[in-house]
Coordinates of all heavy atoms in Angstrom, one line a residue:
L1 N -8.0 1.3 6.3 CA -8.5 2.6 6.6 C -10.1 2.7 6.6 O -10.7 3.5 7.3 CB -8.0 3.6 5.6 CG -6.5 3.9 5.7 CD1 -6.0 4.9 4.7 CD2 -6.2 4.5 7.1
K2 N -10.7 1.8 5.8 CA -12.2 1.7 5.9 C -12.6 1.4 7.3 O -13.6 1.9 7.8 CB -12.7 0.7 4.9 CG -12.7 1.2 3.4 CD -13.3 0.2 2.5 CE -13.4 0.7 1.1 NZ -14.0 -0.3 0.1
E3 N -11.9 0.5 7.9 CA -12.2 0.1 9.3 C -11.9 1.1 10.3 O -12.6 1.4 11.2 CB -11.5 -1.2 9.6 CG -11.7 -1.7 11.0 CD -10.8 -2.9 11.3 OE1 -10.3 -3.6 10.4 OE2 -10.6 -3.2 12.5
K4 N -10.7 1.8 10.1 CA -10.2 2.7 11.1 C -10.8 4.1 11.0 O -11.1 4.8 12.0 CB -8.7 2.8 11.0 CG -8.0 1.5 11.3 CD -8.3 1.1 12.7 CE -7.5 -0.2 13.0 NZ -7.8 -0.7 14.4
I5 N -11.0 4.7 9.8 CA -11.5 6.1 9.7 C -12.9 6.1 9.0 O -13.5 7.2 9.0 CB -10.5 7.0 9.0 CG1 -10.4 6.6 7.5 CG2 -9.2 7.0 9.7 CD1 -9.5 7.6 6.7
G6 N -13.3 5.0 8.4 CA -14.6 5.0 7.8 C -14.6 5.3 6.3 O -13.8 6.0 5.8
S7 N -15.6 4.7 5.6 CA -15.7 4.9 4.1 C -16.0 6.4 3.8 O -15.6 6.9 2.7 CB -16.7 4.0 3.5 OG -16.4 2.6 3.7
D8 N -16.7 7.1 4.7 CA -17.1 8.4 4.4 C -15.9 9.3 4.2 O -15.8 10.1 3.2 CB -18.1 9.0 5.4 CG -17.5 8.9 6.8 OD1 -16.6 8.1 7.0 OD2 -18.0 9.7 7.7
K9 N -15.0 9.3 5.1 CA -13.8 10.1 5.0 C -12.9 9.6 3.8 O -12.3 10.5 3.1 CB -13.0 10.1 6.3 CG -13.6 10.9 7.4 CD -12.7 11.0 8.6 CE -13.3 11.9 9.6 NZ -12.5 12.0 10.9
L10 N -12.8 8.3 3.6 CA -11.9 7.8 2.6 C -12.4 8.0 1.2 O -11.7 8.4 0.3 CB -11.7 6.3 2.8 CG -10.6 5.6 2.0 CD1 -9.3 6.3 2.2 CD2 -10.6 4.2 2.3
R11 N -13.7 7.9 1.0 CA -14.3 8.0 -0.4 C -15.2 9.2 -0.6 O -15.1 9.8 -1.6 CB -15.1 6.7 -0.7 CG -14.2 5.4 -0.7 CD -13.1 5.5 -1.7 NE -13.6 5.7 -3.0 CZ -14.1 4.7 -3.9 NH1 -14.1 3.5 -3.5 NH2 -14.5 5.0 -5.1
E12 N -16.0 9.5 0.4 CA -17.0 10.6 0.1 C -16.4 11.9 0.4 O -16.7 12.9 -0.3 CB -18.2 10.4 1.0 CG -19.0 9.1 0.7 CD -20.1 8.8 1.6 OE1 -20.6 9.7 2.3 OE2 -20.6 7.6 1.7
Q13 N -15.5 12.0 1.3 CA -14.8 13.3 1.5 C -13.5 13.3 0.7 O -13.3 14.2 -0.1 CB -14.4 13.5 3.0 CG -13.5 14.7 3.2 CD -13.1 14.8 4.7 OE1 -13.8 14.5 5.6 NE2 -11.8 15.1 4.9
G14 N -12.7 12.3 0.8 CA -11.5 12.2 0.0 C -10.5 13.3 0.2 O -10.5 14.0 1.3
G15 N -9.6 13.5 -0.7 CA -8.6 14.6 -0.6 C -7.6 14.3 0.4 O -6.9 15.2 0.9
L16 N -7.4 13.0 0.8 CA -6.5 12.7 1.8 C -5.1 12.3 1.3 O -4.9 11.9 0.2 CB -7.0 11.4 2.6 CG -8.5 11.5 3.1 CD1 -8.8 10.2 3.8 CD2 -8.6 12.7 4.1
R17 N -4.1 12.6 2.1 CA -2.7 12.2 1.9 C -2.4 11.1 2.9 O -2.4 11.3 4.1 CB -1.8 13.4 2.1 CG -1.7 14.4 1.0 CD -0.8 15.6 1.4 NE 0.5 15.1 1.9 CZ 1.5 14.9 1.1 NH1 1.4 15.0 -0.2 NH2 2.7 14.5 1.6
I18 N -2.3 9.9 2.3 CA -2.1 8.7 3.2 C -0.6 8.3 3.1 O -0.2 7.8 2.1 CB -3.0 7.5 2.7 CG1 -4.5 8.0 2.7 CG2 -2.8 6.3 3.5 CD1 -5.4 7.2 1.8
I19 N 0.1 8.6 4.2 CA 1.5 8.3 4.2 C 1.6 6.9 4.8 O 1.4 6.7 6.0 CB 2.3 9.3 5.1 CG1 1.9 10.7 4.7 CG2 3.8 9.1 4.9 CD1 2.1 11.1 3.3
T20 N 2.1 5.9 4.0 CA 2.1 4.5 4.4 C 3.5 4.2 4.9 O 4.4 5.1 4.9 CB 1.8 3.6 3.3 OG1 2.9 3.6 2.3 CG2 0.5 4.0 2.6
T21 N 3.7 3.0 5.4 CA 5.0 2.5 5.9 C 5.9 2.0 4.8 O 7.0 1.6 5.1 CB 4.7 1.5 7.0 OG1 4.0 0.4 6.3 CG2 3.9 2.0 8.1
L22 N 5.4 1.9 3.6 CA 6.1 1.2 2.5 C 7.4 1.8 2.2 O 7.5 3.1 2.1 CB 5.2 1.2 1.3 CG 5.7 0.2 0.2 CD1 5.4 -1.2 0.6 CD2 5.1 0.5 -1.2
D23 N 8.5 1.0 2.1 CA 9.8 1.5 1.7 C 9.9 1.1 0.2 O 9.9 -0.1 -0.1 CB 10.9 0.8 2.5 CG 12.3 1.3 2.2 OD1 12.7 1.0 1.0 OD2 12.9 1.9 3.1
L24 N 10.1 2.1 -0.7 CA 10.1 1.8 -2.1 C 11.2 0.9 -2.5 O 11.0 0.0 -3.3 CB 10.1 3.1 -2.9 CG 10.0 3.0 -4.4 CD1 8.8 2.2 -4.9 CD2 10.1 4.3 -5.1
K25 N 12.4 1.1 -2.0 CA 13.5 0.2 -2.3 C 13.3 -1.2 -1.9 O 13.5 -2.1 -2.7 CB 14.8 0.8 -1.6 CG 16.0 -0.1 -1.9 CD 17.2 0.4 -1.1 CE 18.4 -0.6 -1.3 NZ 19.6 -0.1 -0.5
M26 N 12.7 -1.4 -0.7 CA 12.4 -2.8 -0.3 C 11.3 -3.4 -1.1 O 11.4 -4.6 -1.4 CB 12.1 -2.8 1.2 CG 13.3 -2.4 2.1 SD 13.0 -2.8 3.9 CE 14.5 -2.3 4.6
Q27 N 10.3 -2.6 -1.4 CA 9.2 -3.2 -2.2 C 9.7 -3.6 -3.6 O 9.3 -4.6 -4.1 CB 8.1 -2.1 -2.4 CG 6.9 -2.6 -3.2 CD 6.2 -3.7 -2.6 OE1 6.2 -3.9 -1.3 NE2 5.5 -4.5 -3.4
T28 N 10.6 -2.8 -4.2 CA 11.2 -3.1 -5.5 C 12.0 -4.4 -5.4 O 11.9 -5.3 -6.2 CB 12.1 -2.0 -6.0 OG1 11.3 -0.8 -6.1 CG2 12.7 -2.3 -7.3
A29 N 12.7 -4.6 -4.2 CA 13.5 -5.8 -4.0 C 12.6 -7.0 -3.9 O 12.9 -8.1 -4.4 CB 14.4 -5.6 -2.8
A30 N 11.5 -6.8 -3.2 CA 10.5 -7.9 -3.0 C 9.9 -8.4 -4.3 O 9.8 -9.6 -4.6 CB 9.4 -7.5 -2.0
E31 N 9.5 -7.4 -5.1 CA 8.9 -7.8 -6.4 C 9.9 -8.4 -7.3 O 9.5 -9.3 -8.1 CB 8.2 -6.5 -7.0 CG 7.1 -6.0 -6.2 CD 6.5 -4.7 -6.7 OE1 7.0 -4.2 -7.7 OE2 5.5 -4.2 -6.1
K32 N 11.1 -7.9 -7.3 CA 12.1 -8.5 -8.1 C 12.5 -9.9 -7.7 O 12.7 -10.8 -8.5 CB 13.4 -7.6 -8.1 CG 14.5 -8.1 -9.0 CD 15.7 -7.1 -9.0 CE 16.8 -7.6 -9.9 NZ 18.0 -6.7 -9.8
A33 N 12.5 -10.2 -6.4 CA 12.9 -11.5 -5.8 C 12.0 -12.6 -6.2 O 12.4 -13.8 -6.3 CB 13.1 -11.4 -4.3
V34 N 10.7 -12.3 -6.5 CA 9.7 -13.4 -6.7 C 9.5 -13.6 -8.2 O 8.7 -14.5 -8.6 CB 8.4 -13.1 -6.0 CG1 8.6 -13.0 -4.5 CG2 7.7 -11.8 -6.6
V35 N 10.1 -12.8 -9.1 CA 9.9 -12.9 -10.5 C 10.7 -14.0 -11.1 O 11.9 -14.1 -10.8 CB 10.2 -11.6 -11.2 CG1 10.2 -11.8 -12.8 CG2 9.2 -10.5 -10.8
G36 N 10.1 -14.9 -11.9 CA 10.8 -15.9 -12.6 C 11.3 -17.0 -11.7 O 12.3 -17.8 -12.2
R37 N 10.8 -17.2 -10.5 CA 11.4 -18.3 -9.6 C 10.7 -19.6 -10.0 O 9.6 -19.7 -10.5 CB 11.1 -18.0 -8.2 CG 11.5 -16.6 -7.7 CD 12.9 -16.3 -8.0 NE 13.9 -17.0 -7.3 CZ 14.9 -16.6 -6.6 NH1 15.0 -15.2 -6.4 NH2 15.8 -17.3 -6.0
R38 N 11.5 -20.7 -9.8 CA 11.0 -22.0 -10.0 C 10.2 -22.4 -8.7 O 10.8 -22.5 -7.6 CB 12.2 -23.0 -10.2 CG 11.7 -24.4 -10.5 CD 12.9 -25.2 -11.1 NE 12.5 -26.6 -11.3 CZ 12.6 -27.6 -10.4 NH1 13.3 -27.4 -9.3 NH2 12.2 -28.8 -10.7
L39 N 9.0 -22.6 -8.9 CA 8.1 -22.9 -7.8 C 7.3 -24.2 -8.1 O 7.3 -24.7 -9.3 CB 7.0 -21.8 -7.6 CG 7.6 -20.4 -7.2 CD1 6.4 -19.4 -7.2 CD2 8.3 -20.5 -5.9

């Protein structure tokens, strides 16, 4: 977002609602899948 809308809107103006693409269920699954693995 710093690249796309600029630091002024992101930090100096603020008050933004940033709706991301993240799926909470999938993110939880991803974080759980990498915990305690033998690497």
Side-chain angles (χ1 to χ4, degrees):
L1 288 179
K2 281 183 178 179
E3 176 185 342
K4 296 299 181 181
I5 67 175
S7 296
D8 55 341
K9 284 186 178 177
L10 187 60
R11 297 299 304 274
E12 295 174 21
Q13 173 185 317
L16 305 179
R17 284 175 49 87
I18 301 157
I19 314 302
T20 73
T21 59
L22 193 76
D23 183 297
L24 183 57
K25 177 183 175 182
M26 292 194 181
Q27 180 64 26
T28 302
E31 294 177 359
K32 182 178 179 181
V34 300
V35 171
R37 308 308 294 235
R38 184 168 178 262
L39 298 176

